[in-house]
Amino acid sequence: MDATPSLARRTLAVFTRNKLALTGAVILVLLLAFCFLGPLFHSTDQVHTDLGQASLSPRAGHPLGTTDVGYDMLGRLMYGGQTSLEVGLAAGLLATLFGTVYGAVAGYFGGWTDALLMRITDAALAIPALFLLVVVAAIVTPSKPVLILIIASVAWLSPARLIRGEALALRSRDYVHAMRLMGGGGGRAVFRHIVPNAIGTVIVNATFQIADAILYVAYLSFLGLSIPPPAADWGSMLSSGITYTQVGYWWLIFPPGLAIVLVVAAFNFIGDGLRDAFDVRLQKG
């Protein structure tokens, strides 16, 4: 009865001892509050342009200045963050979910199933992910659902290989053999035994996948393959700001660039902390 709470407490204790992980968690919470609650306190018009207010430096009423078409930069940073975080979170979680099931099936069944599935994975990994993203994004019209599917379609490869390795080790455990002797099928083995017992690896990998997905959103937006205006994300804001580097409009560059760095670093710090937290040796220590 006390085993689960004890395990949860030990896991949390290891996580909280990692100062970088705690810092990442605090940064992430603050960024989420800034992007999703900020517009309630700083309401701006991010649809209609106002050239009379274009390219204003930071001042009263516009704490981070305005863009080249008159959008309030602080408000745009909030709304752009919503897009980047929503697409990054959804794409990262979708990629982790599909990759986990794919890798678990390959590792558990082995044989020709494993060989076929892994050769498909190896072939896809041989093609640079950014190249695939650019090609697909150039073919279709970008939107939030489309960007999520595009990014997830290349991001699932890494978790698939990782979970496949976990499944190869877990399928030889006694409880899996016992389940087989009792007449359990492959589906039960994968979803009731392999995946749940690899959940620590899955959760840790999910944080890194989300960080990578947010970077992919920025890459595509920087290359001009973002969601059409008036929607925005941090990558497209950074891309637009680079145009004005020579004239010193720093407020168009630093805020979105800093936001991308902070959110990616936060997820990586959290992932490192979770990896330590699920380490049985550190829990015992």
Side-chain angles (χ1 to χ4, degrees):
M1 295 292 293
D2 294 331
T4 300
S6 178
L7 176 61
R9 284 196 296 268
R10 292 199 303 269
T11 301
L12 182 60
V14 175
F15 182 83
T16 53
R17 285 202 301 266
N18 190 320
K19 302 305 180 184
L20 281 178
L22 284 179
T23 301
V26 170
I27 291 173
L28 181 59
V29 170
L30 291 176
L31 283 174
L32 288 171
F34 171 75
C35 294
F36 292 94
L37 299 181
L40 299 177
F41 302 95
H42 184 73
S43 179
T44 59
D45 184 358
Q46 297 295 324
V47 176
H48 303 97
T49 61
D50 184 359
L51 296 181
Q53 297 290 313
S55 301
L56 298 179
S57 61
R59 61 191 62 195
H62 300 292
L64 289 181
T66 62
T67 69
D68 57 325
V69 292
Y71 293 130
D72 178 76
M73 189 64 183
L74 180 60
R76 198 149 188 82
L77 195 66
M78 295 174 183
Y79 285 105
Q82 291 180 12
T83 300
S84 294
L85 290 170
E86 287 171 358
V87 174
L89 284 165
L93 293 176
L94 181 60
T96 301
L97 176 63
F98 181 77
T100 296
V101 175
Y102 188 97
V105 169
Y108 173 75
F109 287 99
W112 68 267
T113 302
D114 180 39
L116 175 62
L117 294 180
M118 285 301 101
R119 294 300 77 74
I120 294 174
T121 304
D122 292 340
L125 284 170
I127 305 174
L130 187 57
F131 173 76
L132 286 176
L133 288 173
V134 170
V135 170
V136 176
I139 295 174
V140 299
T141 302
S143 65
K144 279 187 182 180
V146 170
L147 278 178
I148 291 169
L149 291 175
I150 289 173
I151 294 172
S153 67
V154 299
W156 65 270
L157 301 169
S158 178
R161 290 184 64 85
L162 184 64
I163 301 304
R164 182 250 185 181
E166 291 282 322
L168 288 173
L170 291 171
R171 70 177 184 176
S172 61
R173 299 290 176 87
D174 291 340
Y175 53 81
V176 176
H177 290 308
M179 181 275 301
R180 288 175 179 169
L181 292 175
M182 293 174 65
R188 182 180 180 84
V190 168
F191 293 105
R192 294 293 298 274
H193 296 284
I194 302 297
V195 172
N197 283 284
I199 193 65
T201 303
V202 173
I203 293 174
V204 172
N205 184 258
T207 61
F208 295 125
Q209 290 301 317
I210 293 170
D212 288 345
I214 292 173
L215 281 178
Y216 282 140
V217 175
Y219 294 158
L220 290 175
S221 299
F222 195 83
L223 294 173
L225 299 171
S226 60
I227 300 173
D233 60 77
W234 288 335
S236 63
M237 293 173 65
L238 184 60
S239 177
S240 299
I242 291 295
T243 307
Y244 298 92
T245 302
Q246 299 299 323
V247 292
Y249 293 172
W250 60 267
W251 60 90
L252 299 180
I253 304 170
F254 287 163
L258 181 61
I260 293 170
V261 171
L262 285 176
V263 74
V264 172
F267 274 110
N268 279 288
F269 290 159
I270 293 171
D272 287 337
L274 289 173
R275 182 172 53 200
D276 291 344
F278 285 111
D279 191 318
V280 177
R281 293 169 298 178
L282 292 177
Q283 290 177 7
K284 291 179 180 179

